[in-house]
Amino acid sequence: MKSKKKTRSIYWKLIGISCAFLVFLPIIVIYILLYTYDLKNLKPHISRIVENATGRELAIGGDIRLQISLSPQIIVEDIALKNAQWGSSQNMIQAKQLKLQVALVPLLSKQIIVKRLVITEPNILLETDENGQSNFSFEKQTSSAVEEIKEKRDWPVFGSKKIIVENGQFTYNDLRNNETYSAKINRLTVMGKDLGEPITLTLRGLYNEQPISIEGTLGPLTALSDPAEKFQFDILIKADGNSMSLDGSIQDIASIHGIAFDFTSTINNPSIIEKLARQTFPIKAPFKISGNFTVSDPDMYEIPSFSFASQGIAFDGTIALNVKGKRPTIKAVIAASKLNLTSFMPDSPPSPMKHEPDEAEQKTSRVFSESPLGAKQFNTVDMDVQLSAASVQLPGVIFHNLSSTIRLTSGHLNIDNFKADMGTGKLDGYFHLYPSDTLWSVDTAMKIDQLPLHLLIPAKQVTDSCEGNIDMLFSLSGRGKSIAQLMASLDGDMGLSMCNGTIATKYIDLLGADFSTSLVNMLNPFQKKTDHTEVNCFVCILNINNGIAHTKVLVLDTGRTLTFGRGYADLTSEKLDISLKTVPKEGLGIDKIGKISISLSELSKPVKITGTLASPALTIDLTQTAITLSKVAGGV
């Protein structure tokens, strides 16, 4: 009985040992194979695979060795993939070391399934040539060559489930525009179940020395080399409290073709954009922008719809960018509910301390600048923008129901069909500018109906109000390489009229204390102290010929007086020569003469506006004074 139990025990032990042997036998075999397999033989096979797939040579300068452990690692050192022949550098991809942690069982069938891949100090170079071709556009193999490769392939099959990149460098060179962008990768982790499945991505790095993080899903990775398969992505980018999400796909990443994605960006600190782009960014307030982006071919980028919102700003529209040709071309349709652009402008610099100008400064003081005008900023891009806005606010000016077509073509700026409301007034006109480095040409016209006078006065300088509506019509053209020269060559006509209004005396004070006092006394001699000057009617028509503006009509009716004027303004020298004659409506020789508080000396002072546009002055017109005195004496 005991012998039978002993025999049975030995039997089960043998079975256990046999099972254990069968379990560990493959592992033992694998380790034997790993020790006996010469991994150096993989180098030419790997290089051949890559070269047949890309048309580029892969060089492995270091060893391929195996590190035996419970999770064996294959270590490959000093890897370099050749760049395109036109590239700026010999290699497009380099890496100091690759560590591949492989699965054991697939090794029996010559499949190297990488459970973990660590790439140390990679250097990736992406470039586009002068025609926009990418160095990631690899040569295609012929069908016969591919079949030959398949028949002779006896090297292991690779795959990976986790990739880690440490201390990497990414560089993008745009050889067409001579621009270079670079980013540092502190750590990049990519994880996936299989090559044919999407992967998760986590990145921490620097762009233009600014910390940035990216996380999301990408893939599958096989789509990077197969234009027939879409490369999907859903990622979130964060930098200094700002974020951007991208969700879409790329059909062919090598040729930058078939890109379509939705984007949403929340920028709480716009200064980060200047740090990343290393360029001035005009938007200073926090903003949010969202929409979708498509690339049908490498030269055409479109935003079929987008919306933008910030402090006092809300608009949406479409944008298309074509980078083919000498200059990029932008076409856009923008519709805004409100555009308060004052919040986007930097604070005004402090005003310099006022000082009394000396005689030399007075002689050289000019309104129109003589500084040469440049045209470089007009030749960087062509543009066609259809703009409409319910409200547009600029410093001191508010437009309503604004619409216009803005075109910039070959450096020529045309603003056509400009229509807008200012208060109860309506504006309708155009502005054409043809700049060059040697000469600017301007052609503009505007019709203004019933524009409230107070909208033209700087609100910060005075507090009193003005009443009355202005009608204006002008058509002007000029040529020159500075504002002064443009004004000196000005041709055209200008007309202005206003009825039933008042002008605050403080507004006239803006012309200068002495000048305004004399002007108020002349316009309203019967009331020495007044806050306002009534205007029953004012009409001024100017004919401008080669920078000389002659008065065709100049009449001012203030209720008590009629003022007539004639003369000219020389826009070249900025000198003024305008004679003004004021006639009291309750004149001498009528029954109520005793009630008029005006002396013969005051009535005998017809004046002239002289000086310059920068420093106008009122002087006595001696010729007209003598005529007036003789008429007064005869009337008495």
Side-chain angles (χ1 to χ4, degrees), residues 342-367:
T342 56
S343 62
F344 286 81
M345 299 180 181
D347 295 335
S348 300
S351 301
M353 295 182 63
K354 294 184 178 181
H355 69 282
E356 293 295 330
D358 56 26
E359 185 176 351
E361 289 178 322
Q362 291 178 350
K363 290 181 179 179
T364 59
S365 177
R366 296 182 60 89
V367 172

Side-chain angles (χ1 to χ4, degrees), residues 381-396:
V381 65
D382 288 343
M383 183 170 57
D384 187 338
V385 178
Q386 304 291 328
L387 174 65
S388 62
S391 173
V392 178
Q393 184 173 349
L394 299 171

